[in-house]
Amino acid sequence: MTNIASPDIIYTKVDEAPQLASVSLLPVIQSFASAAGVSVGVKDISLAGRIIAAFPDNLSADQRQADDLAELGELVKNPNANVIKLPNISASAPQLIAAIKELQDKGYAIPDYPENPKTVAEKAIRNRFDAIKGSAVNPVLREGNSDRRAAVAVKNYAMSNPHSMGEWVPDSKTVVSTMSSDDFFSNEKSVTLTAEQAGAARIELVAQDGSITVLKESVSYSAGTVVDATFMSGRALDLFLADQIEQTKAAGVLFSIHLKATMMKVSDPIIFGHAVRVFLQPVFDAFGEKLAASGVNPNSGLGALLDQVADMPEAEEILAAIAAVMADRPALYMVNSDKGITNLHVPSDVIIDASLPALIRAGGKGWGPDGAAADTNCVIPDSSYAPIYDESVEYFKETGAFDPATAGTVQNVGLMAQKAEEYGSHPTTFEIPHDGTVRIVLANGDMSLTHEVVAGDIWRSASTKQAPIEDWVQLAISRQKSEGCQSIFWLDESRAHDAELLKYVTPILAAAAVSDKFQILTPRAATRLSLETIRQGKNSIAVTGNVLRDYLTDLFPILELGTSAKMLSIVKLMNGGGLFETGAGGSAPKHVQQLMQENHLRWDSLGEFCALGESLKFLADTKANDKARVLGRAVDRATQDILDRNKSPRAKVGQTDNRSSHYYFALYWSQALATQNEDQTLIAKFAPIAAALAENESQILEELASNEGSPADLGGYFLTDVQKTEKVMRPSQTLLRILGEL
């Protein structure tokens, strides 16, 4: 086989609105990049693509496709890696099942998802699917730590055009509620492994009669790895939820639960299922056996439950019982009031890092069943990170909302390389089948990580390797030196895991003689100080672990910028390459719905623009391509022009949409290249392109908007038809002709 060189830049094919947008944007990127001798390739990490790659057995030759995620997993370990990563679906079970059905309907012989596998074959199929569920992509690609911040152009625009903020009042009834004992935080144990302890370990459940069930046969740990183990009591969780339901009803506010069922794909769907069951406890008490016999799994949510009940012989009786319980319970926070979709309908519908910042930005208000905004009890069962939201709510009650026009910014340096911390815990998370003792038996026989558990408890272990920790601290030192602003390690010495991290952090800071440049604060204290800092118009760097990286890079941008989709996100890969991420995708499904109904896509590609500029400048450094640097700098100018001239997509038909925004990006990018003086060859190439794009503005915009207001046929949702999608997303032949001239 001929060995074909990898493209200079890899652009990822993903899902939903970001993928549709890339169909429009990629011709612009590839055409412009070619003028600098830069090749841009595509790798498919979409949910549908990953399912197809995982099940080649019964597929025809033309249906099969390579495992692009595995290929990218190797590429990101290469010093020349340069990947632009768009937000992909981190699939919950309902999303995975929906994608499977769509593929089956298209003629792909993909097996059904075994909800309750019994045979060896079913368990093998389930294992393949479980490798696709949740955050399957990010841990593979993130071979480096995170440097995430608002791009200068985006921050400038946000301050000049501040978004609306809800009004906070001191007597707001909105609260954050969390467990005070028997949760993951309180039960956590943590050790840093010695050379003797490193190697192959196993996780066992020892029953009361001494019999041993091996939960995980072989887990490989290297010396210096921080290993954590903890559990959440199922009984304590149920008591907590029942109490919160009663307190919510007494307070007269909305009930909401906030989890991360996509990233924490084993533990959080189970917790979500507990919430569904406890909320409908009288129904399960009366009909539990019949519901179980019909395959009802509360972990899949209220929506799936209602669908399954509708097909049962006892449907009328059970639905009446559900209606009676719902009428007696507190009103639920709604995902979509118009469609009756509640907080408990789908586990992936209410993702904590998107839902809570939006609620805080709105003055503590959530949407109720009546379509009106109301105060809310925000229930976060595990108390590990609940304090950041609790402190934010209390802070704004005391001070009122701040002004985005004058606010500073919180940057983030996040520890996430090589599956660091809880987000890498999926293979070592278990719902306990029977009472006993869970223990990790290390390579030398040590068993310092043990817990007494009972059936129904949720036990998990996570690990963080030494090299990523050290790289994270060095990245923090570098960023602090560059910015010169307040810098805080968000670490709680009373938490077992954080205490182990501090054994690395403090000596490294001391050795670099920068201990005085950093503060070390608990997440609660760091939240208040950071909010007060940015209220004063100053900046702060939050140096955090993986989950807090995820949470804070939504919380602060949504407060400062109105959105987290426009962040500059650079992953400095540990072997020297670069991974450039483009922002969050939480609103993508609603965008796709609008496109399919009205042929108007309001997805904003600003995150892609920011990532592209950094990718090109990084390429210039790694491959000594000065033309790529010129292109990258011109991207920055074009991005600023998009903002300054108000050419970002807007919400309604007839306004600028994603495709017309891409036209203006191409126009401004070409104009920047045609007028810069660094490279006469590029000036000569882009002057006629800029002129042609400007001269044909009316024609191009008319072609782009030719079908707006009418339904758009994409030929699918998870796996769209290529030709139909290109017809929808590339409707201007004039624009394509001009790009072709490059």
Side-chain angles (χ1 to χ4, degrees):
M1 179 181 287
T2 304
N3 186 21
I4 301 174
S6 174
D8 296 307
I9 296 172
I10 297 292
Y11 209 84
T12 51
K13 177 182 178 181
V14 288
D15 312 280
E16 297 179 322
Q19 170 54 23
L20 296 174
S22 70
V23 175
S24 168
L25 182 57
L26 258 178
V28 177
I29 294 174
Q30 291 172 325
S31 298
F32 278 54
S34 67
V38 174
S39 57
V40 181
V42 178
K43 290 290 183 183
D44 185 353
I45 60 171
S46 67
L47 177 58
R50 289 182 280 127
I51 293 172
I52 293 168
F55 291 94
D57 318 54
N58 300 323
L59 303 183
S60 62
D62 62 325
Q63 288 177 326
R64 292 174 189 158
Q65 64 182 64
D67 188 345
D68 282 3
L69 178 59
E71 290 183 26
L72 280 180
E74 292 303 311
L75 176 65
V76 292
K77 299 172 185 176
N78 187 304
N80 291 322
N82 191 324
V83 180
I84 297 177
K85 192 256 175 193
L86 279 67
N88 61 283
I89 291 176
S90 293
S92 64
Q95 287 174 305
L96 182 62
I97 291 168
I100 293 167
K101 185 178 186 307
E102 181 176 318
L103 289 170
Q104 291 171 340
D105 291 345
K106 289 176 179 289
Y108 288 81
I110 304 294
D112 290 334
Y113 177 75
E115 289 272 11
N116 299 294
K118 294 180 175 62
T119 67
V120 172
E122 287 177 343
K123 290 177 181 177
I125 291 170
R126 174 66 179 261
N127 287 338
R128 284 203 233 180
F129 278 127
D130 283 350
I132 299 167
K133 266 171 54 180
S135 181
V137 170
N138 289 338
V140 174
L141 299 186
R142 287 172 171 170
E143 279 288 317
N145 291 310
S146 171
D147 171 9
R148 195 173 278 191
R149 56 191 185 273
V152 173
V154 175
K155 182 61 177 173
N156 289 343
Y157 179 82
M159 296 179 75
S160 300
N161 302 270
H163 57 274
S164 62
M165 297 281 280
E167 181 184 1
W168 275 97
V169 293
D171 59 353
S172 167
K173 293 182 179 180
T174 291
V175 294
V176 172
S177 302
T178 190
M179 296 173 73
S180 58
S181 62
D182 252 346
D183 63 347
F184 291 129
F185 177 85
S186 58
N187 289 324
E188 187 175 72
K189 297 179 180 180
S190 186
V191 295
T192 301
L193 301 189
T194 64
E196 292 75 21
Q197 294 170 318
R202 67 183 181 277
I203 303 172
E204 301 176 340
L205 173 59
V206 184
Q208 293 174 340
D209 63 4
S211 60
I212 296 175
T213 301
V214 177
L215 299 176
K216 188 74 174 177
E217 181 60 46
S218 181
V219 185
S220 181
Y221 296 127
S222 56
T225 296
V226 175
V227 180
D228 312 318
T230 187
F231 75 97
M232 176 179 284
S233 163
R235 181 175 181 275
L237 173 61
D238 287 346
L239 291 172
F240 165 75
L241 291 168
D243 181 59
Q244 289 307 312
I245 291 168
E246 291 305 314
Q247 289 194 32
T248 305
K249 184 177 179 180
V253 298
L254 303 177
F255 178 88
S256 62
I257 189 163
H258 301 264
L259 297 163
K260 188 78 168 179
T262 50
M263 298 291 275
M264 300 305 298
K265 63 184 180 182
V266 179
S267 61
D268 283 23
I270 297 172
I271 298 171
F272 184 83
H274 276 260
V276 173
R277 181 183 287 273
V278 173
F279 204 84
L280 295 178
Q281 194 64 57
V283 176
F284 280 92
D285 290 342
F287 303 100
E289 291 185 8
K290 292 179 179 179
L291 291 170
S294 295
V296 170
N297 182 355
N299 296 8
S300 296
L302 179 59
L305 182 151
L306 292 171
D307 288 342
Q308 289 173 289
V309 167
D311 294 329
M312 293 173 61
E314 308 85 357
E316 186 175 346
E317 184 182 5
I318 297 175
L319 289 173
I322 291 172
V325 172
M326 296 291 282
D328 186 56
R329 294 302 200 194
L332 283 170
Y333 168 101
M334 302 297 286
V335 171
N336 189 320
S337 300
D338 294 338
K339 295 184 177 181
I341 300 174
T342 73
N343 179 203
L344 295 179
H345 261 65
V346 183
S348 57
D349 267 359
V350 180
I351 303 301
I352 183 171
D353 48 318
S355 59
L356 269 173
L359 184 143
I360 292 169
R361 176 193 157 186
K365 302 292 187 181
W367 295 106
D370 58 357
D375 291 341
T376 306
N377 182 9
C378 305
V379 177
I380 308 172
D382 180 43
S383 61
S384 296
Y385 304 107
I388 69 166
Y389 298 114
D390 182 49
E391 191 65 27
S392 296
V393 167
E394 294 306 312
Y395 176 80
F396 287 119
K397 283 183 186 179
E398 295 171 18
T399 64
F402 58 59
D403 184 357
T406 58
T409 187
V410 177
Q411 304 178 15
N412 184 268
V413 174
L415 171 60
M416 68 177 191
Q418 300 179 359
K419 305 178 183 179
E421 303 189 298
E422 297 99 321
Y423 281 173
S425 69
H426 320 310
T428 51
T429 300
F430 309 95
E431 189 171 23
I432 300 301
H434 57 73
D435 298 1
T437 302
V438 180
R439 64 191 187 190
I440 299 179
V441 183
L442 298 172
N444 68 343
D446 285 353
M447 291 181 287
S448 56
L449 298 173
T450 63
H451 291 100
E452 300 297 319
V453 294
V454 300
D457 289 348
I458 308 163
W459 185 95
R460 77 176 184 215
S461 177
S463 62
T464 311
K465 296 178 182 178
Q466 179 176 354
I469 297 170
E470 293 173 340
D471 179 80
W472 169 62
V473 181
Q474 293 298 338
L475 179 58
I477 292 171
S478 174
R479 289 299 305 149
Q480 197 285 326
K481 182 178 180 181
S482 174
E483 297 292 328
C485 64
Q486 176 189 88
S487 300
I488 305 169
F489 277 89
W490 293 48
L491 296 172
D492 182 353
E493 62 182 8
S494 69
R495 181 181 176 182
H497 170 74
D498 289 7
E500 294 301 307
L501 284 189
L502 284 168
K503 294 176 183 177
Y504 282 109
V505 171
T506 52
I508 295 174
L509 296 180
V514 293
S515 299
D516 60 330
K517 303 293 185 183
F518 292 88
Q519 298 182 62
I520 298 173
L521 298 174
T522 66
R524 182 180 293 279
T527 299
R528 179 163 288 261
L529 178 57
S530 299
L531 287 170
E532 190 57 37
T533 298
I534 61 175
R535 181 185 287 277
Q536 296 170 7
K538 301 176 183 178
N539 298 337
S540 184
I541 299 174
V543 189
T544 73
N546 202 351
V547 177
L548 274 177
R549 168 202 59 80
D550 205 6
Y551 290 6
L552 299 189
T553 55
D554 277 301
L555 174 61
F556 288 113
I558 286 173
L559 296 177
E560 299 167 19
L561 312 174
T563 177
S564 60
K566 303 175 183 179
M567 293 288 283
L568 181 60
S569 183
I570 301 170
V571 180
K572 296 181 180 295
L573 299 172
M574 290 174 61
N575 288 344
L579 176 68
F580 305 92
E581 299 186 325
T582 66
S587 58
K590 291 181 180 180
H591 291 190
V592 181
Q593 286 177 1
Q594 184 181 14
L595 177 73
M596 296 174 78
Q597 293 167 2
E598 302 177 341
N599 204 344
H600 181 89
L601 184 63
R602 68 182 189 268
W603 175 263
D604 193 340
S605 293
L606 202 64
E608 288 94 297
F609 302 159
C610 293
L612 174 63
E614 294 300 317
S615 171
L616 286 165
K617 287 179 281 187
F618 177 77
L619 180 70
D621 292 333
T622 55
K623 296 197 172 181
N625 184 334
D626 289 336
K627 284 182 168 55
R629 192 183 320 281
V630 175
L631 256 66
R633 290 173 177 167
V635 166
D636 293 344
R637 291 195 288 275
T639 303
Q640 188 71 65
D641 282 343
I642 287 283
L643 292 167
D644 291 345
R645 302 183 192 187
N646 198 26
K647 298 302 182 184
S648 295
R650 298 174 69 186
K652 296 180 180 179
V653 170
Q655 298 176 327
T656 303
D657 90 331
N658 180 262
R659 292 158 291 194
S660 49
S661 180
H662 292 165
Y663 156 69
Y664 283 111
F665 176 69
L667 173 64
Y668 302 150
W669 192 7
S670 64
Q671 288 174 339
L673 288 164
T675 56
Q676 51 77 30
N677 296 309
E678 301 170 61
D679 190 302
Q680 294 301 317
T681 305
L682 289 178
I683 291 174
K685 280 188 176 183
F686 282 97
I689 299 298
L693 288 172
E695 290 165 4
N696 288 277
E697 178 177 2
S698 297
Q699 177 70 21
I700 292 170
L701 291 177
E702 182 179 336
E703 292 171 357
L704 290 174
S706 57
N707 292 312
E708 276 218 3
S710 303
D713 180 11
L714 301 172
Y717 184 89
F718 295 99
L719 183 66
T720 62
D721 179 271
V722 173
Q723 291 183 332
K724 289 181 177 180
T725 305
E726 288 184 355
K727 183 178 179 180
V728 171
M729 296 307 302
R730 302 176 185 174
S732 173
Q733 293 304 309
T734 305
L735 175 58
L736 293 174
R737 175 181 56 77
I738 295 170
L739 294 175
E741 294 173 6
L742 282 168

